[in-house]
Amino acid sequence: MSVLIYVESNGSEIKKSSLDAVAYGAEVGVKMSSSVTAVAIGNIPAEQLALLGKYGAASVLHVQGDVFNHNSPMAFAAAVTEAAKKTGAKLVVLPKSTLVDSFAAKVSAQLKAGIVTNVTDLPDLSNGFSVKRSIFTGKAFATVTISSDIKVITLAKNAYQGKETGGNATVELFAVHVSDADQKVKTTNVEKASGDLLLTEADIVVSGGRGMKGPENWGILLDLAKALGAATGCSKPVSDMDWRPHHEHVGQTGVKVAPNLYIAIGISGAIQHLAGVNSSKCIVVINKDPEAPFFKAADYGIVGDLFEVVPKLTEAAKLLK
Amino acid sequence: MKILVCITHVPDTTSKISFTDNNTKFNAAGVQYIIGPYDEYALSRAIELKEQLGGTVTVLNVGEADTEPTIRKALAIGADDAIRVNATPKDAGFVAAQIAAIAKEEKYDLILMGRESIDYNGGLVHGLVADMLGIPSITPVMKLDIENGNAKMTREIEGGKESIECVLPFVAGCQEPIAEWKIPNMRGIMSARTKPLKVTEPVPFSEMVMYGDFQLPAAKGACKMIDPANPAELLTLLRNEAKVL
Ligand SMILES: Cc1cc2nc3c(=O)[nH]c(=O)nc-3n(C[C@H](O)[C@H](O)[C@H](O)COP(=O)(O)OP(=O)(O)OC[C@H]3O[C@@H](n4cnc5c(N)ncnc54)[C@H](O)[C@@H]3O)c2cc1C
Ligand SMILES: Nc1ncnc2c1ncn2[C@@H]1O[C@H](COP(=O)(O)O)[C@@H](O)[C@H]1O
């Protein structure tokens, strides 16, 4: 019996959300008296794989292959499924990502497992297996019980903070057979915003709204983001007007973020925007209108003209460290 | 082209969420219901494809009779006919089994859904339906065109997007900017009343996931205001008090 955790990398580094998921799986593993295995997919260097042991995995199955260099949900689903079968996993933990969203259902179907997504807490094992999940786009939670023998969960961003505890994992190469016949979907072109910090992974997000007045003013926001090491986001009208690319659109109909710190600049705080940021640990709002609804959802606020406040804040941030 | 669009009937995005009956039931009092926003993107694109290529657009909802006004709205926007599977949508597996049962009979060329529902936010139904039908599932799709039975799409990936191609049939989970939401016109609203809406009973499904009670997030404390002339103070607080820097 085992707990299996899927581990995702962004090329050379394992994602923080995957390390958190390994630590989560390790804690559940203790409660379930199960062994803890991580299945790491991609060209991940050895010292990164060693991290998985430090976060609590006892063993690592390392899957490599050209097919995993592309975004091929079917191949990832096959790899995770085979790893689950090999280890006799009763619980499969998937850290939420765009890729996981595209293959989680497939894994559960192949394992005939019940699946619950957006899990925000450790399971309660006192009476079967129940977990808390986020619903209504972060506006509420539900307690959900999974009754199948094998269970699959996807872990919401920042649901669990993992810590290094200093263990060691055995690492084994794991060959997975992915049939070409499964590959009905052909990729013809890939566009990645290279070098940029991933919005969904970032610890700090600086986001701009219509109050920024136009794309030509984004420099001051980018400077602040750079000084803080933050990723950048925006409100829906901003991406609708093409001031910023669509993948930066945060909210109910866009990206949901859960950083430690979300700084909203010239965003009014419409409920649909809040739905995408309400899982953030700390929210700062900069707005010239003291009545802006965003202040009600904020931890810290500055009422003032963003064109004056933001450059000052950037200067102060540069002096940090 | 025979297109199926699966729609949810969900609380308006501005709704205040609360629960009744000891936190075991959603409190629908005073709540306005809408077509799920992602589902409406899917529906809008389906109608554009039909206008371009000919064919039919069927909308499907798994829900009780109270979802019919939402289904009628989809008909007013331009769907040709509708199916309601008469059941409470208990979880993604159950809903997917209902949709797959109908799709097996009807053999749609294309099944469009939203990227996720905004009540359950499962993001699962499209993937599960595709698996049950043995066809690909592609999500989240931001652009979709069809030429000679081959679909060209843009799919969002981590930190970017990619162009992909896939032969019909498949299931897609849609998101903006795949199409603009359409506002129903008077003619649409009138004709929606008489368009066919078939009600079917659910197929059996053994559930593996059961919802228990609901909780609301802890109330947020008051917002601390900082002097705009001294933003450095903010950074001090973020570091020493909130401990996020
Ligand atoms: C179904 C649906 C889904 C939606 N989904 C989303 C979503 O996912 N994400 C999203 O963001 N929106 C979404 N919206 C839109 C949402 O309702 C709001 O319209 C939008 O969030 C407003 O964007 P904004 O705050 O940038 O603009 P505004 O509401 O115009 O706010 C601009 C703010 O900037 C401030 N400001 C102006 N000048 C300055 C200055 N010099 N200094 C400081 N402050 C200044 C103003 O006081 C104001 O508060 C959705 C709407 C619907 C109906
Ligand atoms: N009860 C339902 N009836 C019809 N379609 C649904 C239902 N629930 C979910 N869907 C479809 O499946 C998509 C994903 O839903 P979910 O898995 O709940 O996030 C939605 O955007 C809809 O297109």
Side-chain angles (χ1 to χ4, degrees), chain A residues 177-246:
Chain A
H177 176 72
V178 181
S179 88
D180 286 343
D182 282 349
Q183 305 293 308
K184 285 188 196 150
V185 184
K186 268 206 318 258
T187 303
T188 53
N189 184 39
V190 179
E191 273 175 58
K192 274 206 176 181
S194 64
D196 289 358
L197 210 57
L198 258 171
L199 185 53
T200 49
E201 289 286 318
D203 284 333
I204 305 179
V205 173
V206 177
S207 210
R210 202 141 55 176
M212 291 287 294
K213 301 281 191 294
E216 66 281 5
N217 298 326
W218 237 261
I220 58 166
L221 189 151
L222 297 176
D223 286 345
L224 176 62
K226 196 166 163 217
L228 293 171
T232 54
C234 67
S235 68
K236 179 166 159 41
V238 165
S239 65
D240 284 349
M241 292 182 292
D242 278 333
W243 293 1
R244 298 296 298 168
H246 266 286

Side-chain angles (χ1 to χ4, degrees), chain A residues 207-213 218 234-241 243 249-256 262 264-276 285-295 302-310, chain B residues 12-14 34-38 40-41 118 176 181:
Chain A
S207 210
R210 202 141 55 176
M212 291 287 294
K213 301 281 191 294
W218 237 261
C234 67
S235 68
K236 179 166 159 41
V238 165
S239 65
D240 284 349
M241 292 182 292
W243 293 1
H249 157 199
V250 169
Q252 177 113 46
T253 48
V255 181
K256 277 107 196 148
Y262 186 80
I265 301 173
I267 305 179
S268 58
I271 193 159
Q272 297 95 354
H273 187 82
L274 297 182
V285 169
I286 301 172
N287 197 305
K288 69 173 183 192
D289 174 10
E291 302 297 320
F294 219 145
F295 286 117
I302 299 183
V303 177
D305 183 352
L306 70 89
F307 295 102
E308 288 167 23
V309 174
V310 173
Chain B
D12 177 326
T13 51
T14 59
I34 56 168
I35 303 173
Y38 295 108
E40 202 171 333
Y41 285 122
I118 65 161
E176 49 111 51
W181 290 326

Side-chain angles (χ1 to χ4, degrees), chain A residues 98 133 136 141 143 189 300, chain B residues 119-121 158 163 212 215 241:
Chain A
T98 312
R133 74 178 297 259
F136 290 107
F141 300 94
T143 307
N189 184 39
Y300 299 97
Chain B
D119 49 2
Y120 286 100
N121 308 111
E158 208 81 355
S163 309
Q215 304 98 39
E241 189 178 78

Side-chain angles (χ1 to χ4, degrees), chain A residues 21-147:
Chain A
V22 170
Y24 176 99
E27 187 163 345
V28 182
V30 171
K31 287 203 206 178
M32 290 170 62
S33 336
S34 304
S35 65
V36 178
T37 307
V39 55
I41 305 182
N43 296 321
I44 306 171
E47 73 273 10
Q48 283 285 312
L49 292 173
L51 266 183
L52 299 173
K54 296 203 173 86
Y55 276 81
S59 53
V60 176
L61 298 175
H62 186 198
V63 180
Q64 281 177 307
D66 285 346
V67 58
F68 301 107
N69 297 338
H70 312 290
N71 185 57
S72 47
M74 289 294 179
F76 281 81
V80 175
T81 305
E82 283 190 32
K85 286 185 177 154
K86 178 189 157 82
T87 56
K90 295 293 179 204
L91 175 66
V92 178
V93 181
L94 309 168
K96 187 176 173 66
S97 72
T98 312
L99 181 60
V100 162
D101 285 350
S102 67
F103 76 71
K106 186 85 189 166
V107 170
S108 76
Q110 287 177 351
L111 294 172
K112 301 197 172 15
I115 177 167
V116 173
T117 55
N118 289 331
V119 169
T120 58
D121 217 338
L122 286 163
D124 175 358
L125 304 173
S126 59
N127 187 8
F129 184 101
S130 60
V131 281
K132 199 168 148 180
R133 74 178 297 259
S134 155
I135 54 170
F136 290 107
T137 325
K139 287 189 234 169
F141 300 94
T143 307
V144 190
T145 306
I146 313 180
S147 59

Side-chain angles (χ1 to χ4, degrees), chain B residues 6-8 38-39 60-62 89 92 95 99 112-117 120-126:
Chain B
C6 301
I7 60 165
T8 54
Y38 295 108
D39 314 346
L60 168 58
N61 169 260
V62 179
V95 170
I99 296 172
L112 298 185
M113 304 196 192
R115 164 192 193 146
E116 66 177 38
S117 58
Y120 286 100
N121 308 111
L124 288 172
V125 171
H126 29 73

Side-chain angles (χ1 to χ4, degrees), chain B residues 16 20 37 42-43 49 60 82 97 103 108 121 128 131 147 169 175-176 184 212 216 220 224 230 235 237 240:
Chain B
K16 201 166 159 50
T20 60
L43 175 64
L49 287 172
L60 168 58
Y108 298 100
N121 308 111
L128 294 173
D131 190 81
E147 277 167 37
Q175 73 171 39
E176 49 111 51
L216 292 174
K220 196 109 189 165
K224 203 175 246 184
N230 187 16
L235 298 176
L237 288 168
N240 300 331

